[in-house]
Amino acid sequence: MNHQHTHTFKKFIKYFWIAISGKETEYTTGSIRKAIFMLSIPMILEMLMESIFALVDIAYVSKVSVNAVATIGLTESVITLVYALAIGLSMAATAVVARRIGEKDVDGARIAAVQAISLGVVISVLIGIIGIIYAKDILALMGGERDLIAEGYGYTQFLIGGNITVVLLFLINAIFRGAGNASIAMWALVLSNGLNIILDPMFIFGFGPIPEFGVMGAAIATNIGRGTAVIFQLGILFFGWGKIKLMAKDLVLNLKVMINLIKVSLGGIAQFLIGTSSWIFLMRIMSEFGSEVLAGYTIAIRVMMFTLMPSWGMSNAAATLVGQNLGAKQPDRAAISVWKTGKYNAIFMGIVSLAYLFFAKSIITWFNATPAVVKSGALCLQVIAAGYIFYAYGMVVSQAFNGAGDTRTPTKINLISFWMFQLPIAYVSAIVLGWGEIGVFMAITLAEVLLAVLAIVWFKKGKWKKVQV
């Protein structure tokens, strides 16, 4: 019996190592289970790096002042719009690149990569100029008070001004993922976040010749970290070992490919904005119940984000598998990949939901021991965890549509589940019927169940198999 276990463990370690070193790149033949594992592992690690960075950043900055933390909060909500554009473009880039790689058309993949990057540069330069000139106005518009704006506008200026580092980091990683080089994307984030964690305290509190920048230092460190990673990515695109290698001759505009990318990315941008805006409305409803309930909710959502990272990784793997297999004219293999990924995700999410149901209070207490905060945070974890198995399938199937280049269907599903269902139910049950915060939590869970059901029903119809990108 033990020999069997050791063998399985050795095999796991071997594949894990191949996955993060990026040796394996063929996903249209062979074992689907292995393909899911090979793509998911680096994507999961990449997602975890992102969330660790978010936590570290807040930890350092909260030592500066309350205003500093608030500045980050307000700036983040504006930067979300930049993320929306970056995520939309990234979805399109992954879908088109994966499709070309599946068709064995590496030139087409290269052309798509160049057009996506050019689009990203143009958009982010425009946003950057606005951010640098109007940083104070942006904070004022978000409701920042005078002293907060005076202390924090440098952070906003640097972060929005340097948004090109965020946009390119996202985009080039999406290109690597579509090509099946998920491990390169992971190493780029290891580099960016590793640097960030080292540079953050140096620039915030000062170190040797570096003066103390306060909250602005966090933005400087972030830009240096991400900028370095972007240089690393470009190095790999031009001189590296990825599937896609760019030459000087590739650097030309191709309007047809660019317009196609814009079309596919509109759906991605819409999905992200629908999701984000519904979170903002839910926050607004939650703020009616006082700051302790709001704090509990915020902590619970942060905790969930952390445990959702592996699920996001698996969902991204499903997107790449769908794109490449459709390109290789294997729609059935694409569909099987999705159901298998959904199953693994459901098993993972099922285990997490049990942990939440039993240990919710202890988990929230690690972050904040105020009884009211613990009570509402734990309730939030328990109620939302009840829908986790549905959520697992909903996430994978939605990403599968995106990987096929059908970004419209998930947009429709999001509209129905979040705007037409979740927000009205949250408002009516929490405020009108007076159920309080549990009304909001129930609305979130029911919306996720609805989303999964709609996604599965539409996926089974199979129209995504015929999408051309």
Side-chain angles (χ1 to χ4, degrees):
M1 185 67 197
N2 271 353
H3 177 70
Q4 182 67 41
H5 279 279
T6 344
H7 177 68
T8 315
F9 182 68
K10 275 185 180 160
K11 204 164 146 186
F12 173 82
I13 293 294
K14 181 184 127 188
Y15 284 150
F16 182 84
W17 187 244
I18 295 174
I20 59 170
S21 62
K23 303 248 184 343
E24 178 79 30
T25 46
E26 182 52 66
Y27 301 113
T28 51
T29 53
S31 155
I32 292 179
R33 199 161 95 181
K34 184 174 155 197
I36 295 170
F37 182 81
M38 290 298 185
L39 277 170
S40 301
I41 291 289
M43 290 181 187
I44 290 170
L45 293 173
E46 185 188 341
M47 291 290 175
L48 285 175
M49 283 302 301
E50 267 307 278
S51 49
I52 288 171
F53 161 64
L55 294 174
V56 169
D57 212 29
I58 287 285
Y60 283 135
V61 172
S62 54
K63 290 198 173 66
V64 179
S65 69
V66 174
N67 270 346
V69 179
T71 304
I72 289 194
L74 295 180
T75 310
E76 290 261 295
S77 30
V78 179
I79 277 271
T80 337
L81 299 171
V82 179
Y83 281 154
L85 293 168
I87 286 173
L89 256 179
S90 306
M91 278 180 187
T94 299
V96 176
V97 169
R99 187 71 68 100
R100 297 296 163 266
I101 293 288
E103 290 163 357
K104 302 274 186 274
D105 171 12
V106 180
D107 290 345
R110 281 216 306 268
I111 293 168
V114 171
Q115 304 316 307
I117 294 170
S118 329
L119 262 174
V121 170
V122 172
I123 294 171
S124 52
V125 168
L126 291 173
I127 294 173
I129 294 169
I130 297 171
I132 292 170
I133 300 174
Y134 297 111
K136 289 181 173 172
D137 305 318
I138 291 171
L139 285 174
L141 192 71
M142 293 300 296
E145 284 156 17
R146 267 222 182 113
D147 55 335
L148 179 145
I149 296 174
E151 185 185 334
Y153 80 95
Y155 174 84
T156 310
Q157 249 178 346
F158 260 93
L159 206 67
I160 301 181
N163 79 86
I164 187 163
T165 56
V166 181
V167 173
L168 289 184
L169 192 64
F170 261 52
L171 246 187
I172 302 176
N173 269 354
I175 292 166
F176 287 139
R177 274 189 230 118
N181 298 129
S183 63
I184 302 178
M186 174 194 80
W187 288 115
L189 277 186
V190 169
L191 175 67
S192 115
N193 293 331
L195 272 173
N196 225 326
I197 289 168
I198 298 166
L199 294 174
D200 243 1
M202 292 184 179
F203 281 94
I204 295 174
F205 309 113
F207 180 80
I210 302 170
E212 182 179 335
F213 284 107
V215 65
M216 186 166 113
I220 300 174
T222 302
N223 277 335
I224 296 175
R226 286 180 171 150
T228 311
V230 170
I231 294 166
F232 163 78
Q233 289 174 319
L234 290 170
I236 286 178
L237 276 178
F238 283 99
F239 313 105
W241 61 91
K243 270 239 167 123
I244 296 179
K245 268 187 115 152
L246 300 181
M247 326 267 179
K249 69 172 178 13
D250 295 323
L251 304 180
V252 285
L253 279 184
N254 182 322
L255 278 178
K256 193 180 151 206
V257 176
M258 196 175 262
I259 288 165
N260 182 29
L261 278 167
I262 293 174
K263 266 194 209 149
V264 178
S265 62
L266 288 176
I269 294 171
Q271 280 170 51
F272 185 79
L273 289 179
I274 291 166
T276 319
S277 57
S278 57
W279 277 119
I280 295 171
F281 281 116
L282 289 178
M283 272 292 191
R284 181 68 196 82
I285 297 175
M286 290 298 291
S287 66
E288 292 290 314
F289 309 118
S291 57
E292 289 177 330
V293 170
L294 194 59
Y297 174 67
T298 309
I299 293 171
I301 296 298
R302 276 281 159 96
V303 170
M304 283 184 178
M305 283 304 168
F306 201 76
T307 51
L308 283 177
M309 291 306 163
S311 293
W312 277 115
M314 281 188 245
S315 309
N316 284 337
T320 299
L321 287 170
V322 167
Q324 290 198 6
N325 284 303
L326 284 180
K329 303 273 179 287
Q330 298 180 344
D332 294 345
R333 183 180 163 89
I336 295 168
S337 307
V338 174
W339 295 124
K340 283 205 168 167
T341 312
K343 186 178 87 179
Y344 298 138
N345 202 8
I347 294 170
F348 168 75
M349 296 284 270
I351 295 168
V352 172
S353 66
L354 289 176
Y356 285 167
L357 290 171
F358 293 119
F359 305 112
K361 283 195 167 145
S362 340
I363 296 173
I364 303 291
T365 313
W366 291 340
F367 295 91
N368 191 314
T370 316
V373 174
V374 174
K375 188 178 157 232
S376 82
L379 188 67
C380 180
L381 279 183
Q382 288 168 328
V383 176
I384 297 181
Y388 255 28
I389 305 249
F390 286 95
Y391 196 33
Y393 274 102
M395 237 155 122
V396 170
V397 177
S398 298
Q399 280 299 79
F401 283 118
N402 290 326
D406 174 7
T407 50
R408 280 205 184 137
T409 304
T411 306
K412 278 187 228 159
I413 295 173
N414 281 1
L415 253 180
I416 297 169
S417 309
F418 295 140
W419 280 7
M420 296 158 123
F421 183 82
Q422 186 185 58
L423 293 177
I425 289 206
Y427 183 78
V428 170
S429 57
I431 309 281
V432 181
L433 298 176
W435 293 355
E437 66 260 41
I438 194 158
V440 177
F441 307 151
M442 276 171 46
I444 296 174
T445 304
L446 293 171
E448 295 304 348
V449 173
L450 177 67
L451 183 138
V453 172
L454 290 175
I456 289 169
V457 169
W458 272 333
F459 189 78
K460 282 195 158 163
K461 286 185 176 165
K463 282 188 185 158
W464 57 273
K465 295 178 183 174
K466 298 180 183 62
V467 175
Q468 295 301 317
V469 291

